[in-house]
Amino acid sequence: MVVGAGITGASIAHHLARRGVSVVVIEQSPRSGAGATGSSGGMVRAYDPDTASGELALPSLAAYRDPARWASGQAPLHAVGAVTAAHPDQAASFREAAGQINAALHTSAHVVAERDEVAGIRLAGGVALVEPEAGWVAPAEVTEDWLVQARADGAVVCHGVRVHGVEARGGRPAVLTDAGVISAGSVIAAVGPWAADPVPGLRPASPVRSRSIQVSVVERRPPAVSHATFVDLRTGVYAKPVGSDRTLIGMPHLVWDSPFDSPPDPAHERATVSALTTHFPWLTTAVQLSTVRAADAYGSPGGEQASGLLEGTGVPHVWSVRGWNGGGVKTAPEAGRRIAEACVADAFSDVA
Ligand SMILES: Cc1cc2nc3c(=O)[nH]c(=O)nc-3n(C[C@H](O)[C@H](O)[C@H](O)COP(=O)(O)OP(=O)(O)OC[C@H]3O[C@@H](n4cnc5c(N)ncnc54)[C@H](O)[C@@H]3O)c2cc1C
């Protein structure tokens, strides 16, 4: 059983069902992607300064580029390019990363230094790793596509059913839900920020906390030019195009453990515009259209299974996936594949 039909649970369910495992997905909301996934900007690139995340992000980008992997028959990637900026002393490590990415994906990643601007983004003295073949995906659409594939492979997806707890009964998990008790061979909790305050039986061994993420969408009118997706490792600010005339902007919102549905923070909204103006000067006069506040689970990789992707919970055969630290979309294809592989190879080949 997979608890949670966000992008992580959907990827796991798809990969399990494709391997012939009998899978049930339980989602508390009436629809899929109602948690972090539904609010996500969906920026994806192969590079990540965290090595563990980079190892997942690179093959994940390959999956997002490959039409053959999707029920829709179309690759979900919008390849607008991805720019990662950093302090100039990162140039050598960026060059090494570009070489690795190109060798694995046959792409044209490269480093730009001592330039004012690249792909519509001012670098403000930084050096940039440019991945022209990366960009963004629509996370809810990716989630839905994986669930379509999982159902076609025999999985059952239940919406509007909440898991209240999980207990060990006869050596196997008994899952307590709104719809009654369900016996499972194994349970994987992919509950996103809800892992920070889990139901009994789903508490991961290492602490996970939820952290606020707030983004705004602004109008982008000429003479503002189109641009690639952008992350600045010096400050944490980020941006991505939304269609032809809008841009999503964000910067770290260091508010921990607030409710998932907390209202947007107007002071942070203003600070975000101000911080991004260095990179997009046209923001000073841009009309602000909307602001969304959600959250993601934050924790460190280090779990017991699948190279740190799964944590035990204390209940036999019940596992919790790691927190994605605000980057779970760019790693979901490969994370789901590895978790499913670990499930099949491990003691729970009879996952239900
Ligand atoms: C505003 C924003 C922007 C982001 N931008 C990016 C980005 O550009 N690139 C990137 O890679 N990542 C980004 N992220 C992070 C990324 O979206 C998340 O890491 C990812 O969506 C997490 O997916 P998930 O499936 O683990 O969690 P979720 O999507 O939160 O899914 C968890 C699901 O579990 C369900 N659930 C919880 N408890 C229970 C229960 N007891 N019973 C049944 N169901 C339950 C919830 O209803 C929910 O649907 C962003 C996140 C946010 C919020």
Side-chain angles (χ1 to χ4, degrees), residues 203-281:
R203 180 172 296 284
S206 308
V208 169
R209 292 182 74 188
S210 90
R211 197 174 99 183
S212 173
I213 303 182
Q214 177 171 303
V215 293
S216 297
V217 173
V218 298
E219 208 170 27
R220 190 180 71 247
R221 286 191 173 171
V225 294
S226 61
H227 59 86
T229 67
F230 172 59
V231 177
D232 191 332
L233 301 180
R234 294 168 294 183
T235 57
V237 298
Y238 51 92
K240 65 161 267 216
V242 183
S244 59
D245 59 357
R246 292 171 186 200
T247 290
L248 177 148
I249 56 173
M251 78 173 185
H253 191 213
L254 303 177
V255 179
W256 296 88
D257 307 322
S258 57
F260 186 80
D261 55 358
S262 298
D265 171 351
H268 188 68
E269 205 173 71
R270 289 190 292 276
T272 303
V273 172
S274 165
L276 263 305
T277 300
T278 315
H279 305 287
F280 302 99

Side-chain angles (χ1 to χ4, degrees), residues 113-204:
E114 295 173 7
R115 276 244 304 267
D116 285 345
E117 193 171 315
V118 62
I121 302 153
R122 294 227 177 140
L123 294 179
V127 62
L129 172 59
V130 183
E131 296 179 57
E133 292 83 5
W136 62 276
V137 299
E141 286 173 22
V142 167
T143 302
E144 202 44 56
D145 192 297
W146 276 328
L147 292 175
V148 165
Q149 295 190 63
R151 281 194 196 94
D153 289 329
V156 175
V157 184
C158 305
H159 290 105
V161 178
R162 185 166 183 274
V163 171
H164 296 293
V166 183
E167 297 170 355
R169 289 189 193 167
R172 286 288 167 183
V175 183
L176 319 181
T177 78
D178 292 342
V181 180
I182 306 171
S183 300
S186 303
V187 175
I188 300 174
V191 294
W194 285 268
D197 185 20
V199 301
L202 290 186
R203 180 172 296 284

Side-chain angles (χ1 to χ4, degrees), residues 7-19 21 46 50-63 69 104 146 188 301-311 319-322 324 330-348 351:
I7 198 164
T8 309
S11 180
I12 296 166
H14 157 54
H15 285 289
L16 281 171
R18 188 54 49 96
R19 282 163 175 73
V21 175
D50 170 55
T51 315
S53 296
E55 280 174 14
L56 299 172
L58 190 148
S60 292
L61 181 61
R69 302 217 201 172
W146 276 328
I188 300 174
E304 306 136 47
Q305 289 285 329
S307 304
L309 299 181
L310 290 176
E311 293 270 3
W319 303 86
S320 175
V321 301
R322 63 160 284 200
W324 299 107
K330 68 174 182 287
T331 52
E334 179 66 6
R337 191 190 70 77
R338 290 192 191 185
I339 290 168
E341 212 161 64
C343 294
V344 173
D346 197 57
F348 28 95
V351 169

Side-chain angles (χ1 to χ4, degrees), residues 32-52:
S32 309
T37 300
S39 305
S40 179
M43 298 194 296
V44 296
R45 57 194 175 277
Y47 176 75
D48 196 287
D50 170 55
T51 315

